[in-house]
Amino acid sequence: MLSKISIVIPVLNEAHHLSKTLATLTEATGVDLIVVDGGSQDDTIAVAQSAHAKVISAPAGRAAQMNAGAAIATGEILLFLHADTQLPLSFETLIRGTLAQPRTIAGAFDLTIDAPGFGVRLVEWGVHLRSRYLQLPYGDQAIFLPKPVFHAVGGFPDLPIMEDFELVQRLHQHGKIAIVPAPVITSGRRWQRLGVLRTTLVNQLVIGAYVLGISPDLIRRWYRSGLGRG
């Protein structure tokens, strides 16, 4: 019997992007779809319900929302998906095959950004190198892992930002994080809003600040001012 995959999607006022994401999952087999709402005021919940997803509420914040979704998941594999990110065709087969590789305890996908421009292509290239050779995927690459591994590392840390970075650091202590060569397609809205150079620079500053021990709450305030990542 194939391992069941629980897809956990944290949302907050994401009706437009969520409808596109859910439309790509209609043909998926052996999946459990969970949408975790952080207090949306638009049609997000109605969109999720129309796709026959399980809809629950949790305090706003990706870490809290994704942990809440994982807590009710019935699948043996957990896949954490952003509302503005679309999975490739046959992602179920790709995930199961990836986790069957020796020493592999988690995985993520390559990244395609839905925006034009040479600068965006450079970002994709950088993401490819970072995630493949350093085993450092971020949350917009749809991180997946067996549920027992997720619980063994304590789930997502209770942080207002950088929860994906910290989870990956914990996973490194237990095994390999593999990168699926097929890409997810994520919205280009961040790069289009701030510009490629500014977005890339701020991303690196945020990561550096976190590594240096600056308060995640302060980093999050930078993000809310339009200076943060994801």
Side-chain angles (χ1 to χ4, degrees):
M1 180 180 295
L2 295 175
S3 297
K4 186 177 182 181
I5 300 172
S6 287
I7 303 175
V8 178
I9 308 177
V11 295
L12 180 61
N13 297 322
E14 289 282 9
H16 174 68
H17 287 99
L18 183 63
S19 62
K20 294 181 179 180
T21 296
L22 295 178
T24 66
L25 303 176
T26 56
E27 302 299 324
T29 58
V31 301
D32 171 34
L33 187 57
I34 303 168
V35 172
V36 189
D37 184 62
S40 295
Q41 300 299 311
D42 63 358
D43 293 330
T44 294
I45 292 178
V47 168
Q49 291 173 334
S50 69
H52 306 291
K54 297 177 185 176
V55 181
I56 63 172
S57 298
R62 278 184 177 151
Q65 290 173 248
M66 291 187 290
N67 284 337
I72 68 162
T74 59
E76 295 87 2
I77 298 171
L78 300 175
L79 166 63
F80 297 98
L81 182 66
H82 289 185
D84 64 353
T85 301
Q86 300 171 35
L87 292 166
L89 294 174
S90 303
F91 69 88
E92 319 99 288
T93 302
L94 294 170
I95 288 172
R96 295 182 183 112
T98 299
L99 292 178
Q101 297 174 8
R103 295 188 61 252
T104 298
I105 61 163
F109 293 84
D110 262 336
L111 184 72
T112 292
I113 300 168
D114 187 15
F118 179 70
V120 171
R121 304 289 81 82
L122 282 178
V123 171
E124 293 171 348
W125 178 73
V127 169
H128 174 81
L129 294 179
R130 183 203 69 226
S131 55
R132 185 167 299 279
Y133 295 106
L134 298 180
Q135 297 183 43
L136 284 174
Y138 293 157
D140 52 9
Q141 293 174 253
I143 296 170
F144 57 85
L145 70 171
K147 185 160 59 176
V149 173
F150 179 76
H151 291 305
V153 299
F156 284 99
D158 184 19
L159 296 173
I161 198 169
M162 300 297 290
E163 75 290 332
D164 52 352
F165 183 87
E166 184 61 33
L167 176 70
V168 168
Q169 295 303 312
R170 295 179 183 182
L171 289 171
H172 278 160
Q173 302 173 27
H174 297 271
K176 176 184 175 183
I177 303 173
I179 305 301
V180 180
V184 294
I185 301 174
T186 195
S187 168
R189 55 184 169 174
R190 284 179 292 150
W191 290 271
Q192 292 171 323
R193 183 175 69 247
L194 296 177
V196 172
L197 181 60
R198 182 182 176 190
T199 301
T200 302
L201 176 61
V202 168
N203 287 349
Q204 299 310 308
L205 289 173
V206 167
I207 294 168
Y210 180 77
V211 171
L212 289 173
I214 294 176
S215 164
D217 289 312
L218 177 57
I219 298 173
R220 177 63 172 173
R221 286 198 291 273
W222 293 346
Y223 167 69
R224 288 189 179 279
S225 298
L227 298 177
R229 182 172 65 81

